[in-house]
Amino acid sequence: EAQVTQNPRYLITVTGKKLTVTCSQNMNHEYMSWYRQDPGLGLRQIYYSMNVEVTDKGDVPEGYKVSRKEKRNFPLILESPSPNQTSLYFCASSPEMSNSPLHFGNGTRLTVT
Amino acid sequence: AQSVTQLGSHVSVSEGALVLLRCNYSSSVPPYLFWYVQYPNQGLQLLLKYTSAATLVKGINGFEAEFKKSETSFHLTKPSAHMSDAAEYFCAVSDSGSARQLTFGSGTQLTVLP
């Protein structure tokens, strides 16, 4: 089944404790992206990747890191999480063709205390 | 620069009634427009997309949207709401058609009343 898989689904952590949210897709998509969803703000892009070893900042990259060592994986790293990073996070992928829709994972709800 | 405005963060309709979710966009070029739906505890799924082939676009689950250039709108409609339509709906726009330049609206939560 074609899918984007994120782990974990739920994560509670404390300020400053490094964490990684994993994302994997099995559709051989070139493009992958991370979004955060906050009430009233919709989805805001954190980072994206056009292909292996090619990443770039989105609209809200501060406090986040990503890597793209393999085509299928695109982990999101929070080196020193803070409470304002409490949010719902989504990974998405698509073939890099014009007008291609995004395929989303089921989300990771992160709480930083 | 592109932007999307969804009027009404919450919309309630009775089962069987018309669903109308509003989306207005701003774009300096002919836009690529999308509607996504998010069911509880799930990621977003594509509902429909505007491809410039036709101004009236039909999507899944009986939804459709009409592109009106003069009004810069792409409102989502469904003639008869079903309980299973309860979800959050997002309008999105891209100037280039590329996913990396997709801008999402703030979302509209649809409640369907029995």
Side-chain angles (χ1 to χ4, degrees):
Chain A
E1 179 188 353
Q3 59 186 359
V4 177
T5 302
Q6 290 179 233
N7 280 297
R9 289 294 306 273
Y10 301 92
L11 180 57
I12 301 173
T13 191
V14 296
T15 299
K17 186 176 181 181
K18 181 180 178 179
L19 66 90
T20 299
V21 183
T22 63
C23 174
S24 180
Q25 51 94 4
N26 61 2
M27 296 167 280
N28 202 36
H29 287 165
E30 294 83 10
Y31 177 86
M32 297 186 75
S33 181
W34 276 101
Y35 293 87
R36 61 178 287 173
Q37 182 181 7
D38 301 289
L41 297 177
L43 275 75
R44 294 179 292 168
Q45 189 178 60
I46 303 170
Y47 268 94
Y48 65 90
S49 170
M50 301 298 293
N51 214 321
V52 175
E53 302 292 1
V54 181
T55 64
D56 211 342
K57 296 177 181 179
D59 298 318
V60 289
E62 295 78 19
Y64 304 95
K65 284 176 56 177
V66 293
S67 69
R68 188 93 181 270
K69 295 189 173 73
E70 306 163 282
K71 197 171 188 179
R72 62 183 293 123
N73 296 323
F74 190 46
L76 179 70
I77 302 155
L78 283 72
E79 294 269 3
S80 183
S82 62
N84 64 11
Q85 293 178 299
T86 292
S87 187
L88 180 58
Y89 292 86
F90 287 101
C91 180
S93 72
S94 81
E96 183 44 18
M97 294 185 296
S98 181
N99 216 22
S100 296
L102 286 166
H103 298 256
F104 284 84
N106 283 333
T108 295
R109 186 167 291 282
L110 172 66
T111 302
V112 184
T113 61
Chain B
Q2 59 200 27
S3 66
V4 178
T5 302
Q6 290 185 241
L7 292 174
S9 58
H10 290 85
V11 171
S12 293
V13 300
S14 298
E15 192 173 18
L18 171 71
V19 175
L20 170 60
L21 304 182
R22 299 178 186 275
C23 173
N24 288 88
Y25 68 91
S26 167
S27 175
S28 57
V29 297
Y32 295 83
L33 293 159
F34 305 81
W35 275 99
Y36 284 85
V37 60
Q38 183 182 27
Y39 297 105
N41 298 315
Q42 294 185 26
L44 281 72
Q45 305 172 32
L46 182 70
L47 203 54
L48 51 82
K49 64 179 182 180
Y50 169 66
T51 62
S52 76
T55 57
L56 184 63
V57 182
K58 294 190 184 299
I60 60 172
N61 301 335
F63 283 93
E64 60 183 34
E66 186 172 8
F67 173 68
K68 290 188 177 180
K69 184 179 178 181
S70 61
E71 298 177 7
T72 60
S73 69
F74 191 55
H75 300 333
L76 182 70
T77 60
K78 182 173 180 179
S80 177
H82 192 272
M83 297 297 288
S84 61
D85 295 327
E88 188 156 22
Y89 293 80
F90 293 92
C91 183
V93 64
S94 172
D95 280 350
S96 66
S98 171
R100 72 182 182 276
Q101 294 180 328
L102 199 60
T103 298
F104 285 88
S106 55
T108 297
Q109 181 68 48
L110 175 67
T111 300
V112 181
L113 305 170

